[in-house]
């Protein structure tokens, strides 16, 4: 389908982009990699009066270290995240999960910031951001502010970004020494996950000292499986992990659609959590 008519601007800096968003109010949309927005435009599910193309702002790209934190520019593509040596060394879960996103063509165009700002609970990377305790830095007319990932995702396709704000970078604490795994179930290759589980595990003296679990497509936002995380503390083998994983669906509200019933998604959350934790903890 042909999208509705809109105006177009391509700022060269963050401040210029923020001014364009502020002037347009709620009638503007940010265009980054375009892998989420362009399909909505073609299907006429979005009707912006202005597209603000931030794809040529160089300061929004790249990965750098800031002490114990990795700082990833919002325009850094999935491909670059997967292959960046800093990400692979200090945030292996992010590299592993990003490698499963869609297909190579999408990964070469899609961006880290665009995936998070789209706030789709079926997307792989929002749940990973939760598991990694990421922080998102946004720029607006009043300056910059930092939003924890646990506060960023508000509802289905809704984030804490104001209409005049731009996501500029994602800050991820290094997880050196943690085991990790991203496990997802989908109907066909490269499709959206019916359910996904992002697991981080830190072991001490043969036991799980701490676990973080992010859930994909188990509610209107990405979620942390907090009950399972608590139950995993002290787990010392596959049987203990299996018992703890039974709590993975507690507090979730999975949807009913053509792919799965809520009950099936709850079952998948338990099974995939067990698999992901066993792999991340080196117990599988």
């Amino acid at each position: 389908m042909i999208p509705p008519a809109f105006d177009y601007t391509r700022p060269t800096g963050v401040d210029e982009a923020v001014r364009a968003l502020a002037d347009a109010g709620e009638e503007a949309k940010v265009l980054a990699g375009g892998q989420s927005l362009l399909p909505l435009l073609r299907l006429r599910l979005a009707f912006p009066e202005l597209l603000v193309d931030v794809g040529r702002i160089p300061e929004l790209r790249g990965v750098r270290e800031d002490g114990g934190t990795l700082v990833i520019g919002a325009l850094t593509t999935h491909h670059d995240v997967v292959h960046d040596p800093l990400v692979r060394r200090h945030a292996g879960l992010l590299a592993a999960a990003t490698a499963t996103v869609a297909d190579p063509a999408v990964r070469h165009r899609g961006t880290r910031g665009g995936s998070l700002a789209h706030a789709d609970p079926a997307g792989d990377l929002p749940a990973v951001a939760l598991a990694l305790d990421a922080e998102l830095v946004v720029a607006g007319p009043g300056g910059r502010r930092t939003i924890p990932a646990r506060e960023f995702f508000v509802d289905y396709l809704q984030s804490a970004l104001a209409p005049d704000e731009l996501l500029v970078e994602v800050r991820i604490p290094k997880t050196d020494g943690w085991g990790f795994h991203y496990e997802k179930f989908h109907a066909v290759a490269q499709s959206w996950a019916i359910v996904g589980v992002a697991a981080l595990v830190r072991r001490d003296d043969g036991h799980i000292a701490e676990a973080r679990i992010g859930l994909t497509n188990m509610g209107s936002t990405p979620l942390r499986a907090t009950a399972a995380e608590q139950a995993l503390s002290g787990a010392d083998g596959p049987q203990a992990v299996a018992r703890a994983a039974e709590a993975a669906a507690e507090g979730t509200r999975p949807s009913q659609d053509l792919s799965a019933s809520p009950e099936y998604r709850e079952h998948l959350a338990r099974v995939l959590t067990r698999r992901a934790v066993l792999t991340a903890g080196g117990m599988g």
Side-chain angles (χ1 to χ4, degrees):
M1 294 179 63
I2 299 174
F6 52 80
D7 291 327
Y8 173 88
T9 184
R10 192 173 72 188
T12 57
V14 171
D15 290 343
E16 184 183 349
V18 169
R19 284 196 298 272
L21 291 172
D23 290 344
E26 297 186 0
E27 303 306 321
K29 289 287 186 182
V30 173
L31 175 65
Q35 301 305 291
S36 299
L37 179 60
L38 292 182
L40 296 180
L41 294 176
R42 286 198 299 268
L43 294 173
R44 296 205 170 203
L45 296 175
F47 300 86
E49 293 184 3
L50 174 68
L51 282 191
V52 181
D53 183 350
V54 299
R56 301 293 179 90
I57 302 180
E59 66 189 278
L60 297 181
R61 296 185 184 275
V63 180
R64 61 182 173 86
E65 292 180 276
D66 182 10
T69 302
L70 287 185
V71 183
I72 303 176
L75 278 184
T76 308
T77 65
H78 302 319
H79 174 270
D80 288 345
V81 166
V82 170
H83 295 283
D84 187 90
L86 290 175
V87 175
R88 296 172 74 90
R89 184 180 309 125
H90 300 299
L93 175 62
L94 176 59
T98 304
T100 74
V101 171
D103 55 38
V106 169
R107 292 195 292 272
H108 273 82
R109 291 292 303 170
T111 64
R112 173 68 175 157
S115 176
L116 297 180
H118 188 52
D120 191 337
D124 300 295
L125 301 184
V128 174
L130 284 182
L132 288 167
D133 284 339
E135 294 182 326
L136 294 87
V137 180
V138 304
R144 298 194 176 194
R145 66 187 180 109
T146 300
I147 309 171
R150 63 182 179 274
E151 300 174 6
F152 185 78
F153 305 104
V154 176
D155 204 343
Y156 182 71
L157 300 184
Q158 296 181 32
S159 75
L161 273 172
D164 57 1
E165 289 182 320
L166 177 69
L167 177 60
V168 295
E169 65 185 29
V170 183
R171 299 178 62 86
I172 297 175
K174 294 178 180 178
T175 52
D176 299 20
W178 289 67
F180 59 86
H181 187 66
Y182 185 65
E183 184 86 21
K184 69 177 177 180
F185 182 84
H186 44 192
V188 296
Q190 303 168 355
S191 65
W192 296 102
I194 295 176
V195 173
V197 175
L200 278 167
V201 173
R202 181 173 60 84
R203 295 185 68 185
D204 182 24
D205 194 26
H207 296 72
I208 292 179
E210 185 178 357
R212 302 185 205 157
I213 301 169
L215 299 177
T216 295
N217 217 359
M218 285 296 291
S220 60
T221 66
L223 300 169
R224 283 278 289 268
T226 54
E229 291 175 349
Q230 294 168 5
L232 283 164
S233 180
D236 58 0
Q239 290 184 343
V241 169
R243 289 193 296 270
E246 288 299 307
E250 289 186 15
T252 65
R253 299 184 65 182
S255 63
Q256 167 87 44
D257 57 30
L258 294 176
S259 297
S261 67
E263 294 77 17
Y264 185 50
R265 283 195 163 92
E266 291 172 357
H267 167 73
L268 285 175
R270 293 188 288 267
V271 171
L272 299 182
T273 295
R274 176 177 56 81
R275 293 179 183 174
V277 172
L278 287 174
T279 302
M283 303 176 184

